[in-house]
C-alpha cells in the first residue's frame, strides 16, 4: 500500500513473526524497496529480562533505530503500526506532504486523523485480498488524535503517534493537522465477518467490541448488522 502511494523505502524491524508471514515479507523484499532488519532486544542483566516490560516489544527502540539510520537521507519518515495505514485522498502520499511542506517549510510533522475502523475477517488464506479488506471497511468514529509523518531533521527522536507538543532545541516544533478531505489514518481495530442475507453480503457486527456497537447504535440508530461499504 505505502509503495503504491509514493513511499520509496520501507523498513520492517522483526522481533517475533510466524515463518509463513516472514516468507511473504521476503517475497516483497525482492519486488519493492522493502528492507527486513532484526529488531532490537535488550540484554539480560543478572538473569533479569527487561524486554517483557518495554512497550509493544521495544517498538519505540526500533522506531528510533530507523530514525537514526535515515535522519540525514530521508525527506520524510512515517512510523506505522501494522494495524494502520496513513493514506492520502489523492492517492499519492508523498505528493501530498511535499505540497504542504512547500507551503509551510518550517513544519516538523503532518498529522493524519485516525479513523477507527473494522475490517472483514476471512477464515482462509485463499479468501484474503487487499481489495476485499478495504472494500469492506466500516469507519466507527473519527478520533481527536492523529498519526504524524515527520520531517526527520526537525525533530530529535522518533515518535509513536504524533509530534504535537514536542520540544526540539528548546522550542516547540510546528505541527500541521490535515483536513479529512486531504488524508487520514485508517486504524484497523476490530474484526467483522461476512454473512449472507438474501444473497447480499453483510458485516456481522455482533463480534465487534460491545462499546463500538453501542456507540454505533447511538450515532446511527441502526441494527447490529450493517451493509459492507466501499471506503
Amino acid at each position: 500500500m505505502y509503495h503504491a502511494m509514493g513511499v520509496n523505502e520501507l523498513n520492517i524491524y522483526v522481533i517475533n513473526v510466524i515463518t509463513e508471514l516472514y516468507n511473504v515479507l521476503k517475497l516483497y523484499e525482492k519486488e519493492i524497496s522493502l528492507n527486513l532488519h532484526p529488531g532490537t532486544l535488550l540484554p539480560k542483566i543478572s538473569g533479569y529480562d527487561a524486554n517483557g516490560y518495554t512497550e509493544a516489544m521495544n517498538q519505540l527502540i526500533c522506531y528510533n533505530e530507523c530514525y537514526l539510520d535515515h535522519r540525514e537521507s530521508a525527506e520524510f519518515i512515517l512510523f506505522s503500526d501494522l494495524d494502520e495505514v496513513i493514506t492520502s485522498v489523492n492517492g499519492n502520499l508523498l505528493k501530498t506532504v511535499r505540497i504542504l511542506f512547500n507551503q509551510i517549510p518550517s513544519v516538523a510533522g503532518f498529522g493524519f486523523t485516525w479513523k477507527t475502523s473494522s475490517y472483514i475477517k476471512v477464515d482462509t488464506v485463499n479468501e484474503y485480498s487487499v481489495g476485499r479488506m478495504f472494500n469492506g471497511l466500516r469507519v466507527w468514529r473519527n478520533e481527536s488524535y492523529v498519526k504524524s509523518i515527520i520531517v526527520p531533521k526537525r525533530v530529535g527522536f522518533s515518535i509513536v503517534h504524533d509530534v504535537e507538543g514536542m520540544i526540539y532545541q528548546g522550542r516547540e516544533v510546528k505541527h500541521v493537522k490535515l483536513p479529512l478531505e486531504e488524508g487520514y489514518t485508517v486504524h484497523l481495530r476490530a474484526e467483522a465477518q461476512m454473512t449472507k442475507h438474501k444473497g447480499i453480503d453483510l458485516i456481522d457486527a455482533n463480534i465487534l467490541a460491545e462499546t463500538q456497537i453501542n456507540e454505533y447504535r447511538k450515532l446511527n440508530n441502526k441494527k447490529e448488522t450493517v451493509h459492507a461499504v466501499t471506503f
Side-chain angles (χ1 to χ4, degrees), residues 3 27 43 67 97 100 122 133 171 185-186 197 201 227 230:
H3 179 72
L27 291 174
Y67 164 77
V97 293
L100 288 171
V122 295
M133 181 175 70
R171 296 181 180 179
T185 301
V186 179
H197 178 68
D201 283 335
H227 286 279
T230 300

Side-chain angles (χ1 to χ4, degrees), residues 132-226:
R132 181 178 183 181
M133 181 175 70
F134 279 89
N135 283 335
L137 284 179
R138 185 77 194 187
V139 176
W140 293 97
R141 61 178 176 267
N142 295 330
E143 307 292 357
S144 59
Y145 41 87
V146 301
K147 188 78 173 185
S148 289
I149 294 178
I150 68 167
V151 181
K153 292 183 180 180
R154 300 280 168 78
V155 299
F157 49 87
S158 72
I159 43 86
V160 174
H161 293 140
D162 65 85
V163 299
E164 188 173 8
M166 177 186 286
I167 304 298
Y168 178 58
Q169 295 183 342
R171 296 181 180 179
E172 184 173 335
V173 302
K174 190 173 186 62
H175 182 262
V176 174
K177 182 178 179 180
L178 274 74
L180 290 171
E181 293 76 17
E182 294 185 23
Y184 41 81
T185 301
V186 179
H187 199 200
L188 305 172
R189 296 297 283 178
E191 295 177 352
Q193 287 182 327
M194 295 301 292
T195 59
K196 289 284 185 179
H197 178 68
K198 296 181 179 179
I200 301 174
D201 283 335
L202 302 174
I203 295 178
D204 181 6
N206 286 305
I207 66 170
L208 297 176
E210 188 63 28
T211 54
Q212 292 178 321
I213 295 173
N214 290 336
E215 182 169 347
Y216 179 76
R217 285 172 176 164
K218 287 188 292 183
L219 293 176
N220 298 276
N221 193 27
K222 293 184 179 180
K223 297 179 181 179
E224 290 181 351
T225 302
V226 297

Side-chain angles (χ1 to χ4, degrees), residues 98-118:
R98 273 180 174 167
I99 291 173
L100 288 171
F101 183 71
N102 288 333
Q103 294 173 349
I104 315 171
S106 61
V107 70
F110 308 94
F112 292 73
T113 298
W114 273 15
K115 287 178 173 283
T116 297
S117 309
S118 62

